[in-house]
Amino acid sequence: ERCQHQTYAIGLKEMWSVRKEMHRPGDVVHTIGWPLDASTYGGSFLYHLEDEPDGEGAKCRVAAGFVIALDYKNPHLNTFGEFQKWKTHPAMRPVFEGGECLQYGARTLNEGGLQSIPSLAFPGGALIGCAAGFITCRKL
């Protein structure tokens, strides 16, 4: 009531250790579209993180992710496969070549925005966090 319906997406994320010559601390890349078709909403991110020292020197890390809205029409769409295909793009492939995937994960994201947040309090309770439609992108 008094708000738009919530919309959802699937988000996939990987943390990579990459070659020093491919690492640009502080760089941020956002994309939309490819390899998705024109009727599928989604995009990606690539964040070059600050160097993190370890016992053997500095680790050059990047966070890579791909998000696809869950209203896609193709019932055979493989969200993980699209993420893997994105990493083969000529602008992305060199970043990952010779690197190592350190961590990975996925999560459903609520994307409705401010207009989709419902009344947060009701008699005897309250909606908080993801249940209310909030999302903390930095924690993805």
Side-chain angles (χ1 to χ4, degrees), residues 57-98:
K59 284 189 177 177
C60 302
R61 297 176 306 132
V62 298
F66 204 79
V67 176
I68 300 175
L70 290 180
D71 63 350
Y72 54 85
K73 307 291 186 265
N74 178 359
H76 303 290
L77 180 72
N78 179 335
T79 54
F80 179 74
E82 297 299 306
F83 183 29
Q84 299 311 307
K85 195 183 305 179
W86 170 78
K87 291 188 288 185
T88 69
H89 188 279
M92 298 299 151
R93 180 186 301 250
V95 175
F96 299 104
E97 284 179 338

Side-chain angles (χ1 to χ4, degrees), residues 33-68:
W34 192 88
L36 302 173
D37 63 35
S39 66
T40 304
Y41 178 72
S44 69
F45 62 86
L46 180 67
Y47 301 147
H48 289 258
L49 306 175
E50 297 299 321
D51 292 345
E52 181 177 283
D54 65 5
E56 302 169 11
K59 284 189 177 177
C60 302
R61 297 176 306 132
V62 298
F66 204 79
V67 176
I68 300 175

Side-chain angles (χ1 to χ4, degrees), residues 98-109:
E100 176 187 10
C101 183
L102 305 172
Q103 299 173 316
Y104 55 89
R107 125 172 218 172
T108 303
L109 308 171

Side-chain angles (χ1 to χ4, degrees), residues 9 11 14-15 18 21 26-27 41 52 58 65 76 79 109 117 126:
E14 295 178 346
M15 294 292 294
V18 298
E21 62 269 18
D27 270 14
Y41 178 72
E52 181 177 283
H76 303 290
T79 54
L109 308 171
I117 295 176

